[in-house]
Amino acid sequence: MPASVITPPGLPLHDGVREACDRLIQLLLLNLQKLVYNRGAPTLADPPPRPVPFLEALKGHVRELCVETLRLERKRFLWQHQLLALLAVYSAPHCAADALFYLLTLARTQDELALATQLYAVLSSCLPDLLPATVATCVCQIHAGRLPEPQVAQLFRNLALVV
């Protein structure tokens, strides 16, 4: 059994503990989901919605979260994908477009690329201008020269596959 954050190498983890941790993470994600989706769209007369400190802290780490999600490790990538979706909705519209850009740029396999299309499917229902924003983000990154040529080529291959 590989080492994790919780256990040293070679020490087996009881299935009951693993299941309890899974339930705990699911409950935390559910609570986070309630916080994100119950915020609503404020009007000019309303005070700004209360920030969610955990998501506020994650805003600057979208790329790292995408990289970790693309590692496709056990159930972890499912939780990270859910977290990425919640962060994208919470910090829309820029975070959503950035997340899709990173997934499209960094995905190397069909399974990894499927994460980008799944994220788009989840987000497009609540973010109607997501596709143009993602394309604009991709174009801006390319024109700014922020991507090395192999990543630009990978981005174009992935875009061709999803279109």
Side-chain angles (χ1 to χ4, degrees), residues 81-93:
H81 195 261
Q82 266 185 285
L83 184 58
L84 193 56
L86 292 172
L87 180 61
V89 171
Y90 176 80
S91 303

Side-chain angles (χ1 to χ4, degrees), residues 110-141:
Q110 291 290 334
D111 289 339
E112 291 175 356
L113 187 56
L115 292 175
T117 58
Q118 291 165 9
L119 184 64
Y120 176 77
V122 169
L123 298 178
S124 63
S125 64
C126 58
L127 301 172
D129 295 329
L130 182 57
L131 185 57
T134 302
V135 170
T137 298
C138 292
V139 169
C140 286
Q141 293 291 334

Side-chain angles (χ1 to χ4, degrees), residues 10-11 23 45 60 65 72 80 101 129 131 137 144:
L11 187 60
R23 280 192 217 114
L65 187 55
L72 299 175
Q80 291 166 331
F101 162 73
D129 295 329
L131 185 57
T137 298

